[in-house]
């Protein structure tokens, strides 16, 4: 029955996307979060259900193709250096796909093809975000929608913590649960309604970040509900048992303060303090409970471990597989379903290690060049002062989300095998790239932004 209802929702979502691609994006995200519990409640837990969001995504691309083509043209003109770096990276992706064919054999051509798809599928989502954000209100509306949906979905975390027996709760691969062993600790990592703890942790961290962002743009009374969203998300970050969720929020906070601290108004400063107090209370509450205190203790880590996670096994990977790596698919989660067995060539979990084994050292360098060029533009965007239709707060917050996801990917690339996470991350990047055009769009909506003088950097 649940499966029938979900596929009914999927058909409705595709119909909505065909009629109005903007509303279709909301429906795509809704299907993306509901596909996990629907899959767990479907006999056999078919892995294909974890990709149902792609169906709605494809309809969006078809329905909005004219707008997206025009936006893609504007993007390539405004960010020509980023585009050139992207073309270079694409060349090495194709080369790595050919390398993957040699690794697995032509009969398993679907393995590098699937991996190539996971790399390229988020690119149109960047264009969707760029097109979607005609004003900051569009982003705030999406934030509210995402916060409400995710807050409801995160109820599964505490239910699992309380040992509620329900097929919709827990890891899809290990419904009986999984214990993570740390020195002196045994942590039962939780998935809630999501298919894996990494997925739950990512959504919880994103909810926390959105709550912080929205609290800072409100007056104190309006900030309180968003502080509640942030606290609820942070609580689920902790009980997911994935430290990377906790540190995703920390990276966002550090990047945000780096770019915006001196611009904080008194009201924003008070709201920021209140958010910090709320998150501290969450940690104290978790620590005070005998059963949940292990999650607070497990959040600690050493500097050596942080370095190892960020490095991701690059040196050992190059030593084992050579400068050109083993090709696409060798570290992509899910290819075991195409291979017919659980053994994979790559063992890497970190993002840099994944790129090293799949793209090789030349591809890793190309990826580094792409990120470097992109970050240079994003740093320039976040230095601009407030404009009537574009605020530095929003630009810095979106940049913080981007930076937090880059670090998250470096620590663990496994979460980004989930299409929902990857597409939402790419969507936020597109929204950030759209912020310099908001004044032009307000003056001449649905038209190509006219050339305008460079914005003035913020001064202190």
């Amino acid at each position: 029955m649940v499966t029938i209802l979900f596929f009914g929702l999927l058909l409705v979502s595709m119909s909505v996307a065909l009629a109005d691609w903007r509303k279709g994006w909301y429906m795509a995200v809704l299907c993306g979060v509901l596909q996990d519990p629907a899959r767990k409640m479907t006999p056999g837990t078919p892995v294909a259900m974890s990709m149902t969001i792609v169906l709605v995504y494809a309809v969006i691309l078809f329905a909005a193709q004219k707008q997206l083509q025009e936006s893609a043209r504007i993007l390539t003109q405004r960010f020509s250096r980023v585009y050139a770096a992207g073309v270079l990276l694409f060349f090495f992706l194709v080369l790595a796909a050919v390398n993957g064919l040699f690794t697995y054999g032509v009969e398993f051509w679907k393995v590098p093809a699937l991996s190539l798809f996971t790399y390229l599928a988020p690119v149109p989502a960047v264009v969707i975000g760029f097109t979607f954000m005609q004003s900051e209100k569009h982003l705030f509306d999406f934030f509210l929608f995402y916060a409400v949906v995710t807050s409801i979905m995160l109820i599964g975390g505490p239910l699992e913590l309380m040992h509620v027996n329900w097929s919709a709760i827990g890891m899809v691969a290990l419904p009986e649960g999984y214990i993570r062993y740390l020195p002196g600790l045994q942590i039962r990592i939780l998935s809630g309604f999501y298919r894996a703890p990494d997925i739950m942790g990512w959504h919880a961290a994103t909810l926390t970040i959105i709550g912080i962002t929205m609290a800072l743009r409100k007056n104190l009374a309006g900030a309180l509900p968003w502080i509640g969203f942030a606290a609820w998300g942070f609580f689920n970050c902790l009980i997911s048992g994935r430290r990377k969720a906790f540190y995703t929020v920390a990276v966002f906070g550090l990047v945000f303060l780096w770019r915006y601290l001196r611009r904080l108004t008194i009201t924003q400063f008070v709201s920021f303090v209140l958010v910090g107090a709320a998150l501290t209370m969450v940690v104290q509450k978790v620590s005070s409970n005998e059963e949940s205190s292990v999650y607070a203790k497990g959040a600690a880590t050493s500097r050596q471990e942080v370095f190892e996670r960020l490095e991701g096994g690059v040196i050992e990977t190059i030593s084992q597989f050579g400068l050109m790596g083993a090709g696409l698919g060798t570290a992509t989660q899910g290819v075991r379903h195409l291979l017919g067995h659980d053994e994979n060539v790559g063992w890497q979990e970190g993002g840099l290690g994944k790129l090293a084994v799949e793209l090789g050292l030349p591809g890793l360098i190309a990826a580094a060049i792409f990120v470097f060029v992109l970050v240079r533009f994003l740093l320039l965007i976040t230095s601009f002062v407030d404009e009537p239709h574009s605020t530095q707060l929003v630009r810095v917050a979106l940049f913080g989300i981007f930076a937090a996801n880059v670090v998250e990917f470096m620590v663990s690339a496994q979460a980004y095998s989930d299409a929902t996470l990857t597409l939402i991350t790419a969507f936020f990047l597109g929204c950030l790239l759209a912020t310099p055009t908001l004044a032009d769009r307000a003056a001449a909506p649905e038209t190509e932004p006219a050339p305008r003088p460079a914005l003035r950097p913020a001064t202190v």
Side-chain angles (χ1 to χ4, degrees):
M1 182 62 179
V2 171
T3 308
I4 295 174
L5 290 175
F6 175 74
F7 277 103
L9 172 65
L10 186 63
L11 291 175
V12 170
S13 300
M14 294 169 67
S15 300
V16 171
L18 192 60
D20 186 341
W21 70 267
R22 293 178 183 274
K23 293 180 181 177
W25 176 250
Y26 286 90
M27 299 303 293
V29 173
L30 181 62
C31 290
V33 297
L34 291 179
Q35 65 188 13
D36 285 351
R39 176 188 172 188
K40 286 187 281 190
M41 298 179 73
T42 299
T45 62
V47 67
M49 289 187 67
S50 294
M51 297 292 289
T52 50
I53 183 178
V54 177
L55 297 177
V56 187
Y57 180 53
V59 174
I60 293 173
L61 297 180
F62 174 79
Q65 55 184 304
K66 290 185 178 179
Q67 296 100 311
L68 297 182
Q69 288 172 1
E70 178 64 15
S71 293
R73 184 183 67 82
I74 297 172
L75 269 171
T76 55
Q77 289 178 348
R78 281 182 172 267
F79 304 99
S80 57
R81 293 182 181 178
V82 178
Y83 175 70
V87 171
L88 177 65
L89 178 58
F90 174 74
F91 169 78
F92 284 102
L93 281 172
V94 174
L95 190 63
V98 175
N99 192 14
L101 283 177
F102 284 103
T103 297
Y104 287 109
V106 178
E107 65 272 19
F108 290 110
W109 64 269
K110 293 181 180 179
V111 173
L114 173 63
S115 184
L116 183 63
F117 174 78
T118 61
Y119 279 101
L120 298 182
V123 176
V126 176
V127 185
I128 288 176
F130 184 85
T131 311
F132 180 93
M133 192 169 170
Q134 296 294 315
S135 69
E136 288 189 347
K137 183 180 182 302
H138 289 128
L139 178 65
F140 299 149
D141 289 344
F142 179 77
F143 276 172
L144 178 60
F145 170 81
Y146 179 85
V148 172
V149 171
T150 303
S151 294
I152 296 173
M153 285 290 293
L154 288 176
I155 293 174
L159 290 179
E160 187 177 3
L161 181 64
M162 294 185 291
H163 302 277
V164 173
N165 187 16
W166 188 15
S167 59
I169 295 175
M171 294 179 64
V172 66
L174 296 169
E176 68 277 4
Y178 179 77
I179 303 296
R180 185 166 183 243
Y181 295 94
L182 294 175
L185 296 174
Q186 295 183 18
I187 302 176
R188 183 169 66 99
I189 57 177
L190 307 179
S191 303
F193 289 130
Y194 300 97
R195 68 181 177 90
D198 281 12
I199 312 300
M200 172 179 161
W202 187 93
H203 282 288
T206 303
L207 175 62
T208 305
I209 290 170
I210 289 176
I212 295 172
T213 301
M214 295 297 286
L216 292 179
R217 64 171 296 272
K218 298 285 187 177
N219 57 33
L220 293 180
L224 292 179
W226 289 103
I227 293 175
F229 278 123
W232 174 240
F234 195 68
F235 170 73
N236 282 275
C237 283
L238 291 175
I239 67 172
S240 70
R242 307 307 286 171
R243 287 177 292 182
K244 63 195 71 173
F246 176 84
Y247 293 113
T248 296
V249 177
V251 170
F252 169 81
L254 291 173
V255 171
F256 182 87
L257 290 176
W258 168 46
R259 304 300 293 171
Y260 199 76
L261 177 61
R262 297 179 182 180
R263 297 273 299 170
L264 284 174
T265 65
I266 295 177
T267 301
Q268 289 173 335
F269 179 77
V270 173
S271 296
F272 198 84
V273 171
L274 290 176
V275 169
L279 301 190
T280 301
M281 290 177 60
V282 169
V283 175
Q284 291 178 342
K285 182 66 175 177
V286 172
S287 302
S288 63
N289 183 276
E290 182 178 355
E291 182 176 1
S292 64
S293 61
V294 65
Y295 294 103
K297 296 176 182 177
T301 189
S302 65
R303 285 180 293 180
Q304 177 65 25
E305 184 180 0
V306 170
F307 171 77
E308 291 175 354
R309 297 290 293 183
L310 291 175
E311 191 268 341
V314 172
I315 298 176
E316 186 176 352
T317 296
I318 295 175
S319 175
Q320 180 179 355
F321 296 99
L323 293 179
M324 297 306 296
L328 290 191
T330 53
T332 299
Q333 191 176 32
V335 297
R336 59 188 178 87
H337 299 288
L338 300 176
L339 294 172
H341 55 77
D342 291 340
E343 295 182 6
N344 205 347
V345 176
W347 42 264
Q348 295 76 4
E349 292 185 3
L352 293 182
K354 172 183 170 66
L355 293 177
V357 70
E358 293 200 330
L359 304 185
L361 183 59
L364 184 61
I365 294 174
I369 293 173
F370 174 77
V371 173
F372 175 77
V373 174
L374 176 61
V375 169
R376 282 191 62 191
F377 278 98
L378 298 185
L379 288 175
L380 179 63
I381 289 173
T382 56
S383 69
F384 297 154
V385 297
D386 290 351
E387 288 195 312
H389 301 282
S390 178
T391 60
Q392 189 181 15
L393 172 65
V394 169
R395 293 192 294 269
V396 170
L398 287 171
F399 178 65
I401 292 174
F402 169 77
N405 276 278
V406 169
V407 174
E408 167 88 2
F409 174 78
M410 291 175 63
V411 173
S412 175
Q414 299 302 315
Y416 294 91
S417 62
D418 184 270
T420 304
L421 272 58
T422 306
L423 296 181
I424 293 177
T425 301
F427 171 81
F428 284 146
L429 175 59
C431 290
L432 175 55
L433 295 175
T435 53
T437 71
L438 295 184
D440 297 318
R441 295 182 181 189
E446 304 301 330
T447 63
E448 177 183 349
R452 55 199 298 269
L455 297 174
R456 294 180 293 108
T459 56
V460 179

